[in-house]
mmCIF file with all atom_site columns, all heavy atoms in Angstrom:
data_model
loop_
_atom_site.group_PDB
_atom_site.id
_atom_site.type_symbol
_atom_site.label_atom_id
_atom_site.label_alt_id
_atom_site.label_comp_id
_atom_site.label_asym_id
_atom_site.label_entity_id
_atom_site.label_seq_id
_atom_site.pdbx_PDB_ins_code
_atom_site.Cartn_x
_atom_site.Cartn_y
_atom_site.Cartn_z
_atom_site.occupancy
_atom_site.B_iso_or_equiv
_atom_site.pdbx_formal_charge
_atom_site.auth_seq_id
_atom_site.auth_comp_id
_atom_site.auth_asym_id
_atom_site.auth_atom_id
_atom_site.pdbx_PDB_model_num
ATOM 1   N N   . VAL J 1 1  ? 0.840  -1.201 0.000   1.00 0.00 ? 1467 VAL J N   1
ATOM 2   C CA  . VAL J 1 1  ? 0.000  0.000  0.000   1.00 0.00 ? 1467 VAL J CA  1
ATOM 3   C C   . VAL J 1 1  ? 0.879  1.257  0.000   1.00 0.00 ? 1467 VAL J C   1
ATOM 4   O O   . VAL J 1 1  ? 0.595  2.222  -0.719  1.00 0.00 ? 1467 VAL J O   1
ATOM 5   C CB  . VAL J 1 1  ? -0.976 -0.012 1.201   1.00 0.00 ? 1467 VAL J CB  1
ATOM 6   C CG1 . VAL J 1 1  ? -1.686 1.324  1.355   1.00 0.00 ? 1467 VAL J CG1 1
ATOM 7   C CG2 . VAL J 1 1  ? -1.985 -1.145 1.039   1.00 0.00 ? 1467 VAL J CG2 1
ATOM 8   N N   . ALA J 1 2  ? 1.967  1.244  0.764   1.00 0.00 ? 1468 ALA J N   1
ATOM 9   C CA  . ALA J 1 2  ? 2.878  2.395  0.784   1.00 0.00 ? 1468 ALA J CA  1
ATOM 10  C C   . ALA J 1 2  ? 3.509  2.598  -0.585  1.00 0.00 ? 1468 ALA J C   1
ATOM 11  O O   . ALA J 1 2  ? 3.628  3.743  -1.064  1.00 0.00 ? 1468 ALA J O   1
ATOM 12  C CB  . ALA J 1 2  ? 3.950  2.209  1.852   1.00 0.00 ? 1468 ALA J CB  1
ATOM 13  N N   . ALA J 1 3  ? 3.918  1.500  -1.234  1.00 0.00 ? 1469 ALA J N   1
ATOM 14  C CA  . ALA J 1 3  ? 4.502  1.603  -2.579  1.00 0.00 ? 1469 ALA J CA  1
ATOM 15  C C   . ALA J 1 3  ? 3.487  2.179  -3.561  1.00 0.00 ? 1469 ALA J C   1
ATOM 16  O O   . ALA J 1 3  ? 3.823  3.028  -4.395  1.00 0.00 ? 1469 ALA J O   1
ATOM 17  C CB  . ALA J 1 3  ? 4.988  0.234  -3.048  1.00 0.00 ? 1469 ALA J CB  1
ATOM 18  N N   . ARG J 1 4  ? 2.249  1.742  -3.455  1.00 0.00 ? 1470 ARG J N   1
ATOM 19  C CA  . ARG J 1 4  ? 1.204  2.267  -4.347  1.00 0.00 ? 1470 ARG J CA  1
ATOM 20  C C   . ARG J 1 4  ? 0.947  3.737  -4.054  1.00 0.00 ? 1470 ARG J C   1
ATOM 21  O O   . ARG J 1 4  ? 0.679  4.525  -4.954  1.00 0.00 ? 1470 ARG J O   1
ATOM 22  C CB  . ARG J 1 4  ? -0.083 1.449  -4.176  1.00 0.00 ? 1470 ARG J CB  1
ATOM 23  C CG  . ARG J 1 4  ? -1.194 1.887  -5.098  1.00 0.00 ? 1470 ARG J CG  1
ATOM 24  C CD  . ARG J 1 4  ? -0.795 1.736  -6.580  1.00 0.00 ? 1470 ARG J CD  1
ATOM 25  N NE  . ARG J 1 4  ? -1.826 2.203  -7.460  1.00 0.00 ? 1470 ARG J NE  1
ATOM 26  C CZ  . ARG J 1 4  ? -1.902 3.430  -7.980  1.00 0.00 ? 1470 ARG J CZ  1
ATOM 27  N NH1 . ARG J 1 4  ? -0.970 4.343  -7.697  1.00 0.00 ? 1470 ARG J NH1 1
ATOM 28  N NH2 . ARG J 1 4  ? -2.881 3.770  -8.787  1.00 0.00 ? 1470 ARG J NH2 1
ATOM 29  N N   . GLY J 1 5  ? 1.045  4.131  -2.788  1.00 0.00 ? 1471 GLY J N   1
ATOM 30  C CA  . GLY J 1 5  ? 0.897  5.548  -2.421  1.00 0.00 ? 1471 GLY J CA  1
ATOM 31  C C   . GLY J 1 5  ? 1.987  6.395  -3.050  1.00 0.00 ? 1471 GLY J C   1
ATOM 32  O O   . GLY J 1 5  ? 1.721  7.519  -3.513  1.00 0.00 ? 1471 GLY J O   1
ATOM 33  N N   . ARG J 1 6  ? 3.207  5.868  -3.087  1.00 0.00 ? 1472 ARG J N   1
ATOM 34  C CA  . ARG J 1 6  ? 4.304  6.610  -3.737  1.00 0.00 ? 1472 ARG J CA  1
ATOM 35  C C   . ARG J 1 6  ? 4.061  6.728  -5.238  1.00 0.00 ? 1472 ARG J C   1
ATOM 36  O O   . ARG J 1 6  ? 4.337  7.775  -5.838  1.00 0.00 ? 1472 ARG J O   1
ATOM 37  C CB  . ARG J 1 6  ? 5.638  5.931  -3.440  1.00 0.00 ? 1472 ARG J CB  1
ATOM 38  C CG  . ARG J 1 6  ? 6.091  6.124  -1.980  1.00 0.00 ? 1472 ARG J CG  1
ATOM 39  C CD  . ARG J 1 6  ? 7.507  5.617  -1.723  1.00 0.00 ? 1472 ARG J CD  1
ATOM 40  N NE  . ARG J 1 6  ? 7.634  4.179  -1.893  1.00 0.00 ? 1472 ARG J NE  1
ATOM 41  C CZ  . ARG J 1 6  ? 7.353  3.265  -0.957  1.00 0.00 ? 1472 ARG J CZ  1
ATOM 42  N NH1 . ARG J 1 6  ? 6.915  3.654  0.237   1.00 0.00 ? 1472 ARG J NH1 1
ATOM 43  N NH2 . ARG J 1 6  ? 7.513  1.978  -1.201  1.00 0.00 ? 1472 ARG J NH2 1
ATOM 44  N N   . GLN J 1 7  ? 3.525  5.679  -5.855  1.00 0.00 ? 1473 GLN J N   1
ATOM 45  C CA  . GLN J 1 7  ? 3.173  5.762  -7.280  1.00 0.00 ? 1473 GLN J CA  1
ATOM 46  C C   . GLN J 1 7  ? 2.113  6.842  -7.508  1.00 0.00 ? 1473 GLN J C   1
ATOM 47  O O   . GLN J 1 7  ? 2.206  7.612  -8.467  1.00 0.00 ? 1473 GLN J O   1
ATOM 48  C CB  . GLN J 1 7  ? 2.635  4.419  -7.776  1.00 0.00 ? 1473 GLN J CB  1
ATOM 49  C CG  . GLN J 1 7  ? 3.666  3.338  -7.920  1.00 0.00 ? 1473 GLN J CG  1
ATOM 50  C CD  . GLN J 1 7  ? 3.023  2.015  -8.314  1.00 0.00 ? 1473 GLN J CD  1
ATOM 51  O OE1 . GLN J 1 7  ? 1.804  1.846  -8.272  1.00 0.00 ? 1473 GLN J OE1 1
ATOM 52  N NE2 . GLN J 1 7  ? 3.870  1.068  -8.701  1.00 0.00 ? 1473 GLN J NE2 1
ATOM 53  N N   . PHE J 1 8  ? 1.121  6.883  -6.631  1.00 0.00 ? 1474 PHE J N   1
ATOM 54  C CA  . PHE J 1 8  ? 0.092  7.911  -6.734  1.00 0.00 ? 1474 PHE J CA  1
ATOM 55  C C   . PHE J 1 8  ? 0.719  9.296  -6.635  1.00 0.00 ? 1474 PHE J C   1
ATOM 56  O O   . PHE J 1 8  ? 0.388  10.189 -7.424  1.00 0.00 ? 1474 PHE J O   1
ATOM 57  C CB  . PHE J 1 8  ? -0.968 7.732  -5.636  1.00 0.00 ? 1474 PHE J CB  1
ATOM 58  C CG  . PHE J 1 8  ? -1.999 8.826  -5.651  1.00 0.00 ? 1474 PHE J CG  1
ATOM 59  C CD1 . PHE J 1 8  ? -3.127 8.726  -6.447  1.00 0.00 ? 1474 PHE J CD1 1
ATOM 60  C CD2 . PHE J 1 8  ? -1.842 9.973  -4.874  1.00 0.00 ? 1474 PHE J CD2 1
ATOM 61  C CE1 . PHE J 1 8  ? -4.074 9.736  -6.467  1.00 0.00 ? 1474 PHE J CE1 1
ATOM 62  C CE2 . PHE J 1 8  ? -2.780 10.985 -4.891  1.00 0.00 ? 1474 PHE J CE2 1
ATOM 63  C CZ  . PHE J 1 8  ? -3.901 10.871 -5.688  1.00 0.00 ? 1474 PHE J CZ  1
ATOM 64  N N   . ASP J 1 9  ? 1.638  9.492  -5.655  1.00 0.00 ? 1475 ASP J N   1
ATOM 65  C CA  . ASP J 1 9  ? 2.305  10.785 -5.494  1.00 0.00 ? 1475 ASP J CA  1
ATOM 66  C C   . ASP J 1 9  ? 3.042  11.183 -6.761  1.00 0.00 ? 1475 ASP J C   1
ATOM 67  O O   . ASP J 1 9  ? 2.997  12.348 -7.176  1.00 0.00 ? 1475 ASP J O   1
ATOM 68  C CB  . ASP J 1 9  ? 3.282  10.754 -4.310  1.00 0.00 ? 1475 ASP J CB  1
ATOM 69  C CG  . ASP J 1 9  ? 2.569  10.764 -2.969  1.00 0.00 ? 1475 ASP J CG  1
ATOM 70  O OD1 . ASP J 1 9  ? 1.377  11.142 -2.915  1.00 0.00 ? 1475 ASP J OD1 1
ATOM 71  O OD2 . ASP J 1 9  ? 3.218  10.380 -1.969  1.00 0.00 ? 1475 ASP J OD2 1
ATOM 72  N N   . ASP J 1 10 ? 3.736  10.221 -7.385  1.00 0.00 ? 1476 ASP J N   1
ATOM 73  C CA  . ASP J 1 10 ? 4.475  10.508 -8.618  1.00 0.00 ? 1476 ASP J CA  1
ATOM 74  C C   . ASP J 1 10 ? 3.535  10.993 -9.717  1.00 0.00 ? 1476 ASP J C   1
ATOM 75  O O   . ASP J 1 10 ? 3.835  11.963 -10.422 1.00 0.00 ? 1476 ASP J O   1
ATOM 76  C CB  . ASP J 1 10 ? 5.249  9.265  -9.086  1.00 0.00 ? 1476 ASP J CB  1
ATOM 77  C CG  . ASP J 1 10 ? 6.389  8.891  -8.153  1.00 0.00 ? 1476 ASP J CG  1
ATOM 78  O OD1 . ASP J 1 10 ? 6.797  9.744  -7.321  1.00 0.00 ? 1476 ASP J OD1 1
ATOM 79  O OD2 . ASP J 1 10 ? 6.863  7.735  -8.239  1.00 0.00 ? 1476 ASP J OD2 1
ATOM 80  N N   . VAL J 1 11 ? 2.415  10.328 -9.883  1.00 0.00 ? 1477 VAL J N   1
ATOM 81  C CA  . VAL J 1 11 ? 1.448  10.722 -10.908 1.00 0.00 ? 1477 VAL J CA  1
ATOM 82  C C   . VAL J 1 11 ? 0.789  12.053 -10.525 1.00 0.00 ? 1477 VAL J C   1
ATOM 83  O O   . VAL J 1 11 ? 0.597  12.924 -11.385 1.00 0.00 ? 1477 VAL J O   1
ATOM 84  C CB  . VAL J 1 11 ? 0.384  9.617  -11.120 1.00 0.00 ? 1477 VAL J CB  1
ATOM 85  C CG1 . VAL J 1 11 ? -0.727 10.089 -12.042 1.00 0.00 ? 1477 VAL J CG1 1
ATOM 86  C CG2 . VAL J 1 11 ? 1.030  8.357  -11.668 1.00 0.00 ? 1477 VAL J CG2 1
ATOM 87  N N   . ALA J 1 12 ? 0.474  12.241 -9.246  1.00 0.00 ? 1478 ALA J N   1
ATOM 88  C CA  . ALA J 1 12 ? -0.165 13.480 -8.795  1.00 0.00 ? 1478 ALA J CA  1
ATOM 89  C C   . ALA J 1 12 ? 0.738  14.681 -9.057  1.00 0.00 ? 1478 ALA J C   1
ATOM 90  O O   . ALA J 1 12 ? 0.256  15.754 -9.434  1.00 0.00 ? 1478 ALA J O   1
ATOM 91  C CB  . ALA J 1 12 ? -0.519 13.389 -7.313  1.00 0.00 ? 1478 ALA J CB  1
ATOM 92  N N   . VAL J 1 13 ? 2.046  14.505 -8.879  1.00 0.00 ? 1479 VAL J N   1
ATOM 93  C CA  . VAL J 1 13 ? 2.989  15.593 -9.151  1.00 0.00 ? 1479 VAL J CA  1
ATOM 94  C C   . VAL J 1 13 ? 2.893  15.997 -10.622 1.00 0.00 ? 1479 VAL J C   1
ATOM 95  O O   . VAL J 1 13 ? 2.889  17.186 -10.956 1.00 0.00 ? 1479 VAL J O   1
ATOM 96  C CB  . VAL J 1 13 ? 4.437  15.174 -8.783  1.00 0.00 ? 1479 VAL J CB  1
ATOM 97  C CG1 . VAL J 1 13 ? 5.459  16.127 -9.377  1.00 0.00 ? 1479 VAL J CG1 1
ATOM 98  C CG2 . VAL J 1 13 ? 4.588  15.095 -7.277  1.00 0.00 ? 1479 VAL J CG2 1
ATOM 99  N N   . LYS J 1 14 ? 2.787  15.023 -11.516 1.00 0.00 ? 1480 LYS J N   1
ATOM 100 C CA  . LYS J 1 14 ? 2.668  15.314 -12.953 1.00 0.00 ? 1480 LYS J CA  1
ATOM 101 C C   . LYS J 1 14 ? 1.340  16.003 -13.276 1.00 0.00 ? 1480 LYS J C   1
ATOM 102 O O   . LYS J 1 14 ? 1.288  16.908 -14.099 1.00 0.00 ? 1480 LYS J O   1
ATOM 103 C CB  . LYS J 1 14 ? 2.810  14.029 -13.760 1.00 0.00 ? 1480 LYS J CB  1
ATOM 104 C CG  . LYS J 1 14 ? 4.188  13.431 -13.687 1.00 0.00 ? 1480 LYS J CG  1
ATOM 105 C CD  . LYS J 1 14 ? 4.239  12.104 -14.400 1.00 0.00 ? 1480 LYS J CD  1
ATOM 106 C CE  . LYS J 1 14 ? 5.604  11.451 -14.169 1.00 0.00 ? 1480 LYS J CE  1
ATOM 107 N NZ  . LYS J 1 14 ? 5.651  10.093 -14.700 1.00 0.00 ? 1480 LYS J NZ  1
ATOM 108 N N   . ILE J 1 15 ? 0.270  15.583 -12.629 1.00 0.00 ? 1481 ILE J N   1
ATOM 109 C CA  . ILE J 1 15 ? -1.056 16.148 -12.889 1.00 0.00 ? 1481 ILE J CA  1
ATOM 110 C C   . ILE J 1 15 ? -1.170 17.556 -12.332 1.00 0.00 ? 1481 ILE J C   1
ATOM 111 O O   . ILE J 1 15 ? -1.635 18.479 -13.012 1.00 0.00 ? 1481 ILE J O   1
ATOM 112 C CB  . ILE J 1 15 ? -2.159 15.251 -12.293 1.00 0.00 ? 1481 ILE J CB  1
ATOM 113 C CG1 . ILE J 1 15 ? -2.211 13.917 -13.036 1.00 0.00 ? 1481 ILE J CG1 1
ATOM 114 C CG2 . ILE J 1 15 ? -3.525 15.948 -12.331 1.00 0.00 ? 1481 ILE J CG2 1
ATOM 115 C CD1 . ILE J 1 15 ? -3.103 12.875 -12.384 1.00 0.00 ? 1481 ILE J CD1 1
ATOM 116 N N   . VAL J 1 16 ? -0.734 17.736 -11.088 1.00 0.00 ? 1482 VAL J N   1
ATOM 117 C CA  . VAL J 1 16 ? -0.876 19.023 -10.416 1.00 0.00 ? 1482 VAL J CA  1
ATOM 118 C C   . VAL J 1 16 ? 0.187  20.008 -10.889 1.00 0.00 ? 1482 VAL J C   1
ATOM 119 O O   . VAL J 1 16 ? -0.027 21.219 -10.897 1.00 0.00 ? 1482 VAL J O   1
ATOM 120 C CB  . VAL J 1 16 ? -0.833 18.843 -8.874  1.00 0.00 ? 1482 VAL J CB  1
ATOM 121 C CG1 . VAL J 1 16 ? -0.831 20.162 -8.146  1.00 0.00 ? 1482 VAL J CG1 1
ATOM 122 C CG2 . VAL J 1 16 ? -2.004 17.983 -8.429  1.00 0.00 ? 1482 VAL J CG2 1
ATOM 123 N N   . GLY J 1 17 ? 1.337  19.497 -11.284 1.00 0.00 ? 1483 GLY J N   1
ATOM 124 C CA  . GLY J 1 17 ? 2.396  20.362 -11.774 1.00 0.00 ? 1483 GLY J CA  1
ATOM 125 C C   . GLY J 1 17 ? 3.272  20.926 -10.680 1.00 0.00 ? 1483 GLY J C   1
ATOM 126 O O   . GLY J 1 17 ? 3.979  21.896 -10.895 1.00 0.00 ? 1483 GLY J O   1
ATOM 127 N N   . ALA J 1 18 ? 3.207  20.375 -9.518  1.00 0.00 ? 1484 ALA J N   1
ATOM 128 C CA  . ALA J 1 18 ? 4.052  20.844 -8.421  1.00 0.00 ? 1484 ALA J CA  1
ATOM 129 C C   . ALA J 1 18 ? 4.513  19.636 -7.628  1.00 0.00 ? 1484 ALA J C   1
ATOM 130 O O   . ALA J 1 18 ? 3.793  18.670 -7.469  1.00 0.00 ? 1484 ALA J O   1
ATOM 131 C CB  . ALA J 1 18 ? 3.271  21.784 -7.505  1.00 0.00 ? 1484 ALA J CB  1
ATOM 132 N N   . SER J 1 19 ? 5.727  19.732 -7.153  1.00 0.00 ? 1485 SER J N   1
ATOM 133 C CA  . SER J 1 19 ? 6.205  18.618 -6.331  1.00 0.00 ? 1485 SER J CA  1
ATOM 134 C C   . SER J 1 19 ? 5.970  18.959 -4.862  1.00 0.00 ? 1485 SER J C   1
ATOM 135 O O   . SER J 1 19 ? 5.926  20.123 -4.485  1.00 0.00 ? 1485 SER J O   1
ATOM 136 C CB  . SER J 1 19 ? 7.686  18.376 -6.594  1.00 0.00 ? 1485 SER J CB  1
ATOM 137 O OG  . SER J 1 19 ? 8.434  19.509 -6.218  1.00 0.00 ? 1485 SER J OG  1
ATOM 138 N N   . PRO J 1 20 ? 5.831  17.932 -4.054  1.00 0.00 ? 1486 PRO J N   1
ATOM 139 C CA  . PRO J 1 20 ? 5.654  18.198 -2.622  1.00 0.00 ? 1486 PRO J CA  1
ATOM 140 C C   . PRO J 1 20 ? 6.874  18.957 -2.082  1.00 0.00 ? 1486 PRO J C   1
ATOM 141 O O   . PRO J 1 20 ? 8.001  18.622 -2.398  1.00 0.00 ? 1486 PRO J O   1
ATOM 142 C CB  . PRO J 1 20 ? 5.549  16.806 -2.004  1.00 0.00 ? 1486 PRO J CB  1
ATOM 143 C CG  . PRO J 1 20 ? 5.298  15.867 -3.138  1.00 0.00 ? 1486 PRO J CG  1
ATOM 144 C CD  . PRO J 1 20 ? 5.833  16.529 -4.368  1.00 0.00 ? 1486 PRO J CD  1
ATOM 145 N N   . THR J 1 21 ? 6.643  19.986 -1.291  1.00 0.00 ? 1487 THR J N   1
ATOM 146 C CA  . THR J 1 21 ? 7.741  20.803 -0.767  1.00 0.00 ? 1487 THR J CA  1
ATOM 147 C C   . THR J 1 21 ? 8.369  20.190 0.464   1.00 0.00 ? 1487 THR J C   1
ATOM 148 O O   . THR J 1 21 ? 9.497  20.489 0.792   1.00 0.00 ? 1487 THR J O   1
ATOM 149 C CB  . THR J 1 21 ? 7.246  22.225 -0.420  1.00 0.00 ? 1487 THR J CB  1
ATOM 150 O OG1 . THR J 1 21 ? 6.178  22.102 0.516   1.00 0.00 ? 1487 THR J OG1 1
ATOM 151 C CG2 . THR J 1 21 ? 6.784  22.947 -1.660  1.00 0.00 ? 1487 THR J CG2 1
ATOM 152 N N   . ALA J 1 22 ? 7.617  19.352 1.164   1.00 0.00 ? 1488 ALA J N   1
ATOM 153 C CA  . ALA J 1 22 ? 8.145  18.720 2.359   1.00 0.00 ? 1488 ALA J CA  1
ATOM 154 C C   . ALA J 1 22 ? 7.533  17.342 2.492   1.00 0.00 ? 1488 ALA J C   1
ATOM 155 O O   . ALA J 1 22 ? 6.517  17.028 1.871   1.00 0.00 ? 1488 ALA J O   1
ATOM 156 C CB  . ALA J 1 22 ? 7.801  19.551 3.599   1.00 0.00 ? 1488 ALA J CB  1
ATOM 157 N N   . ALA J 1 23 ? 8.133  16.556 3.308   1.00 0.00 ? 1489 ALA J N   1
ATOM 158 C CA  . ALA J 1 23 ? 7.592  15.226 3.564   1.00 0.00 ? 1489 ALA J CA  1
ATOM 159 C C   . ALA J 1 23 ? 6.206  15.375 4.184   1.00 0.00 ? 1489 ALA J C   1
ATOM 160 O O   . ALA J 1 23 ? 5.942  16.357 4.882   1.00 0.00 ? 1489 ALA J O   1
ATOM 161 C CB  . ALA J 1 23 ? 8.511  14.460 4.502   1.00 0.00 ? 1489 ALA J CB  1
ATOM 162 N N   . PRO J 1 24 ? 5.325  14.418 3.919   1.00 0.00 ? 1490 PRO J N   1
ATOM 163 C CA  . PRO J 1 24 ? 3.995  14.510 4.510   1.00 0.00 ? 1490 PRO J CA  1
ATOM 164 C C   . PRO J 1 24 ? 4.082  14.608 6.037   1.00 0.00 ? 1490 PRO J C   1
ATOM 165 O O   . PRO J 1 24 ? 4.925  13.978 6.655   1.00 0.00 ? 1490 PRO J O   1
ATOM 166 C CB  . PRO J 1 24 ? 3.314  13.202 4.097   1.00 0.00 ? 1490 PRO J CB  1
ATOM 167 C CG  . PRO J 1 24 ? 4.131  12.659 2.971   1.00 0.00 ? 1490 PRO J CG  1
ATOM 168 C CD  . PRO J 1 24 ? 5.509  13.226 3.128   1.00 0.00 ? 1490 PRO J CD  1
ATOM 169 N N   . VAL J 1 25 ? 3.219  15.421 6.600   1.00 0.00 ? 1491 VAL J N   1
ATOM 170 C CA  . VAL J 1 25 ? 3.190  15.610 8.046   1.00 0.00 ? 1491 VAL J CA  1
ATOM 171 C C   . VAL J 1 25 ? 2.539  14.384 8.676   1.00 0.00 ? 1491 VAL J C   1
ATOM 172 O O   . VAL J 1 25 ? 1.550  13.872 8.167   1.00 0.00 ? 1491 VAL J O   1
ATOM 173 C CB  . VAL J 1 25 ? 2.389  16.884 8.392   1.00 0.00 ? 1491 VAL J CB  1
ATOM 174 C CG1 . VAL J 1 25 ? 2.320  17.087 9.888   1.00 0.00 ? 1491 VAL J CG1 1
ATOM 175 C CG2 . VAL J 1 25 ? 3.015  18.083 7.719   1.00 0.00 ? 1491 VAL J CG2 1
ATOM 176 N N   . ASP J 1 26 ? 3.106  13.915 9.771   1.00 0.00 ? 1492 ASP J N   1
ATOM 177 C CA  . ASP J 1 26 ? 2.547  12.775 10.483  1.00 0.00 ? 1492 ASP J CA  1
ATOM 178 C C   . ASP J 1 26 ? 1.153  13.145 10.967  1.00 0.00 ? 1492 ASP J C   1
ATOM 179 O O   . ASP J 1 26 ? 0.975  14.107 11.717  1.00 0.00 ? 1492 ASP J O   1
ATOM 180 C CB  . ASP J 1 26 ? 3.451  12.414 11.666  1.00 0.00 ? 1492 ASP J CB  1
ATOM 181 C CG  . ASP J 1 26 ? 2.942  11.209 12.449  1.00 0.00 ? 1492 ASP J CG  1
ATOM 182 O OD1 . ASP J 1 26 ? 1.924  10.603 12.034  1.00 0.00 ? 1492 ASP J OD1 1
ATOM 183 O OD2 . ASP J 1 26 ? 3.568  10.883 13.463  1.00 0.00 ? 1492 ASP J OD2 1
ATOM 184 N N   . ALA J 1 27 ? 0.150  12.377 10.533  1.00 0.00 ? 1493 ALA J N   1
ATOM 185 C CA  . ALA J 1 27 ? -1.241 12.689 10.866  1.00 0.00 ? 1493 ALA J CA  1
ATOM 186 C C   . ALA J 1 27 ? -1.474 12.724 12.370  1.00 0.00 ? 1493 ALA J C   1
ATOM 187 O O   . ALA J 1 27 ? -2.306 13.459 12.857  1.00 0.00 ? 1493 ALA J O   1
ATOM 188 C CB  . ALA J 1 27 ? -2.180 11.664 10.221  1.00 0.00 ? 1493 ALA J CB  1
ATOM 189 N N   . GLY J 1 28 ? -0.750 11.938 13.108  1.00 0.00 ? 1494 GLY J N   1
ATOM 190 C CA  . GLY J 1 28 ? -0.932 11.907 14.552  1.00 0.00 ? 1494 GLY J CA  1
ATOM 191 C C   . GLY J 1 28 ? -0.422 13.161 15.239  1.00 0.00 ? 1494 GLY J C   1
ATOM 192 O O   . GLY J 1 28 ? -0.787 13.454 16.360  1.00 0.00 ? 1494 GLY J O   1
ATOM 193 N N   . LYS J 1 29 ? 0.444  13.906 14.565  1.00 0.00 ? 1495 LYS J N   1
ATOM 194 C CA  . LYS J 1 29 ? 1.013  15.105 15.200  1.00 0.00 ? 1495 LYS J CA  1
ATOM 195 C C   . LYS J 1 29 ? 0.322  16.398 14.764  1.00 0.00 ? 1495 LYS J C   1
ATOM 196 O O   . LYS J 1 29 ? 0.239  17.331 15.520  1.00 0.00 ? 1495 LYS J O   1
ATOM 197 C CB  . LYS J 1 29 ? 2.504  15.218 14.871  1.00 0.00 ? 1495 LYS J CB  1
ATOM 198 C CG  . LYS J 1 29 ? 3.324  14.118 15.521  1.00 0.00 ? 1495 LYS J CG  1
ATOM 199 C CD  . LYS J 1 29 ? 4.781  14.271 15.187  1.00 0.00 ? 1495 LYS J CD  1
ATOM 200 C CE  . LYS J 1 29 ? 5.603  13.162 15.820  1.00 0.00 ? 1495 LYS J CE  1
ATOM 201 N NZ  . LYS J 1 29 ? 6.984  13.172 15.390  1.00 0.00 ? 1495 LYS J NZ  1
ATOM 202 N N   . ALA J 1 30 ? -0.150 16.439 13.519  1.00 0.00 ? 1496 ALA J N   1
ATOM 203 C CA  . ALA J 1 30 ? -0.652 17.716 13.016  1.00 0.00 ? 1496 ALA J CA  1
ATOM 204 C C   . ALA J 1 30 ? -2.143 17.736 12.777  1.00 0.00 ? 1496 ALA J C   1
ATOM 205 O O   . ALA J 1 30 ? -2.690 18.770 12.514  1.00 0.00 ? 1496 ALA J O   1
ATOM 206 C CB  . ALA J 1 30 ? 0.061  18.062 11.715  1.00 0.00 ? 1496 ALA J CB  1
ATOM 207 N N   . ARG J 1 31 ? -2.774 16.607 12.835  1.00 0.00 ? 1497 ARG J N   1
ATOM 208 C CA  . ARG J 1 31 ? -4.207 16.589 12.582  1.00 0.00 ? 1497 ARG J CA  1
ATOM 209 C C   . ARG J 1 31 ? -4.919 15.947 13.755  1.00 0.00 ? 1497 ARG J C   1
ATOM 210 O O   . ARG J 1 31 ? -4.388 15.073 14.402  1.00 0.00 ? 1497 ARG J O   1
ATOM 211 C CB  . ARG J 1 31 ? -4.506 15.792 11.306  1.00 0.00 ? 1497 ARG J CB  1
ATOM 212 C CG  . ARG J 1 31 ? -4.047 16.534 10.082  1.00 0.00 ? 1497 ARG J CG  1
ATOM 213 C CD  . ARG J 1 31 ? -4.839 16.058 8.884   1.00 0.00 ? 1497 ARG J CD  1
ATOM 214 N NE  . ARG J 1 31 ? -4.559 16.920 7.767   1.00 0.00 ? 1497 ARG J NE  1
ATOM 215 C CZ  . ARG J 1 31 ? -3.763 16.590 6.772   1.00 0.00 ? 1497 ARG J CZ  1
ATOM 216 N NH1 . ARG J 1 31 ? -3.181 15.422 6.734   1.00 0.00 ? 1497 ARG J NH1 1
ATOM 217 N NH2 . ARG J 1 31 ? -3.558 17.434 5.787   1.00 0.00 ? 1497 ARG J NH2 1
#
């Protein structure tokens, strides 16, 4: 599932046209 999530991120970067600026925030800490 994590590998598939990284594939999604790669495609999302191409679709959105921007790369993530930072690593995803740990959901347990920021949300």
